[in-house]
Amino acid sequence: MEYKIEHKEKNKVTLEVEIPAEKFEESVQKSYIKNAKYFKIPGFRPGKAPRGLIEKQYGEEVFFDDAIDFILNETYPQVVKEANLQIVSQPKVDIVQIGKGKSFIYKAEVFVKPEFELGQYKDIEIEKVEYIVSDEQVEHELEHMREDNARFITIEDRPAQDGDLITIDFEGFVDDKPFEGNSANDYQLQLGSNTFIPGFEEQIVGMNKGEEKTIDVVFPEDYHAKDLAGKPAKFRVVLKEIKVKELPELDDEFAKDVSEFETLAELKEDIRKKFSEKNKEKEKDEMTSKILDKIAENTPIDIPDSMIENQIDYYIEESERTMRYFGYTLDSYLKAVNKTIEEYRQQFKDRAYIAVRNNLLLEKIAKVENIEANEEEIQKEIEKLASSYKMEVEKFRENLKPDDIEYIKEGIIINKALDLIYNSAKIVEKNTEQKDA
């Protein structure tokens, strides 16, 4: 096998590969063995007809398609590896020469990872980003904790009010006929939550325990059950129980009940500390992003469109996984938001460009700085991942493929490069007022 490489504009490369005639003949024979059973030749059982007879009847190129696939699958990766090319697109293949007794020649046009000169990446000056934990944030978190630790007290001496947790039996009818899911017993509903059909909860307000009532509602036009959408319905409702939410007092006893702290003041200080730690991560992320923006200003990169599209593909796959978790498909989501797949992809374009650009910059910085990931660092990252998946470390590592290890290694190197540019940056105070997170 011989090949030559031609570098073109915008990181485009053309590989011209020549395969000896005898090697191509082996692939044609392999194709014949695979496909002979599909040809019906009088006097021969399926798969037993001689190759020459099949070629005479159907043409010598009858076995070329699979022969070409065999050759490409074997030689293209080999050429890419030998030439040390970092391919970022699918190859566009053209056949230059093919035929019996001839060498097989093909061209593969691909895009490669761009080469570029790295501009200034150390001592980048940026304004400090700082988020201050406010008293309101702490109080808001305490209210969440109160809600999480609320209890419900049964009420006997008053009608149902907004915010109450009620227990009801109900039975619904449309056109005096029951429908699927029309009834339930001991159904719990918090009044004011707007989780039932619009107008239903409001008509329960004022009912007393043990009271029965017929409620008139209209199903929304966009109701998920199309046969009910927009239709009026009647529900017979029996109110069986009324409970009211009781929030605990914010005092030292509350702090003891919900945490390891003895006083409310200590609990507040712990909440403030945790918010502060999150803010520090947020501050670092924002400042690192600004540093990368400035490095990019100093470093022009001609990024192939295929790299952006590949990154968008990754975001789409992430979105689909999330949708499936919540019971949606991408198609159903696109219909719901009235978007085409092209419009949906477009909304990821800027984010994808920045992600690809930043990754190229950090890879280059890591290369210039000779940043590596040692075995101890790789093992530590594997232990973290195993813990997150609740697996034994050795068992987790056994399941990792070489590509997985390489991915972990690359992640460590990128994070080291991020730390390098952040730690070398000149962070100056802002003259404007500080932000609240």
Side-chain angles (χ1 to χ4, degrees), residues 382-396:
I382 288 172
E383 288 170 3
K384 280 171 59 180
L385 288 168
S387 175
S388 68
Y389 284 100
K390 294 180 171 54
M391 288 180 67
E392 293 180 7
V393 176
E394 289 309 312
K395 187 73 174 174
F396 182 80

Side-chain angles (χ1 to χ4, degrees), residues 55-270:
E55 289 175 335
K56 184 176 180 181
Q57 184 166 333
Y58 291 93
E60 72 169 26
E61 68 282 358
V62 68
F63 296 116
F64 281 2
D65 283 351
D66 278 334
I68 290 169
D69 285 344
F70 293 142
I71 286 287
L72 292 178
N73 289 336
E74 179 183 347
T75 62
Y76 173 74
Q78 187 180 340
V79 170
V80 169
K81 186 176 180 180
E82 285 183 12
N84 197 27
L85 295 174
Q86 292 183 294
I87 306 297
V88 296
S89 69
Q90 291 296 320
K92 180 183 175 184
V93 177
D94 288 319
I95 306 303
V96 177
Q97 178 174 286
I98 189 169
K100 271 192 175 182
K102 299 178 182 178
S103 59
F104 173 66
I105 304 173
Y106 69 89
K107 284 186 177 182
E109 187 177 85
V110 293
F111 284 91
V112 295
K113 195 173 281 190
E115 289 293 333
F116 57 91
E117 289 298 319
L118 188 62
Q120 181 188 352
Y121 62 93
K122 289 181 179 177
D123 302 318
I124 299 292
E125 185 175 297
I126 57 161
E127 287 186 335
K128 185 177 183 180
V129 175
E130 190 170 13
Y131 291 101
I132 303 301
V133 181
S134 66
D135 292 338
E136 289 77 12
Q137 277 182 284
V138 176
E139 294 302 325
H140 187 68
E141 181 63 20
L142 282 170
E143 285 303 314
H144 271 303
M145 295 175 77
R146 287 182 78 200
E147 289 284 343
D148 290 342
N149 289 275
R151 61 175 183 160
F152 285 89
I153 308 298
T154 301
I155 298 295
E156 303 283 352
D157 58 353
R158 67 160 174 80
Q161 297 178 1
D162 217 27
D164 288 347
L165 180 69
I166 61 165
T167 302
I168 58 173
D169 292 344
F170 68 83
E171 191 174 16
F173 300 87
V174 171
D175 297 329
D176 295 324
K177 295 178 182 177
F179 51 87
E180 187 176 347
N182 75 312
S183 63
N185 292 323
D186 296 326
Y187 184 85
Q188 287 199 323
L189 174 67
Q190 186 161 8
L191 297 178
S193 63
N194 299 316
T195 55
F196 218 89
I197 302 163
F200 185 92
E201 295 172 33
E202 292 86 341
Q203 295 180 64
I204 293 180
V205 171
M207 287 179 66
N208 289 296
K209 180 181 176 180
E211 184 178 346
E212 183 176 335
K213 184 177 183 179
T214 298
I215 290 174
D216 292 303
V217 293
V218 177
F219 282 98
E221 293 291 343
D222 60 352
Y223 194 67
H224 65 273
K226 299 301 180 186
D227 58 325
L228 299 176
K231 290 188 176 180
K234 289 183 182 295
F235 283 86
R236 286 200 296 266
V237 178
V238 177
L239 179 56
K240 300 175 76 173
E241 189 176 52
I242 303 170
K243 288 185 176 181
V244 64
K245 183 189 289 185
E246 184 180 80
L247 295 174
E249 291 294 325
L250 277 178
D251 53 22
D252 291 346
E253 287 304 313
F254 173 76
K256 289 177 186 176
D257 288 341
V258 302
S259 71
E260 70 271 28
F261 301 104
E262 293 294 316
T263 67
L264 184 62
E266 289 175 314
L267 175 58
K268 284 184 177 182
E269 186 56 36
D270 183 66

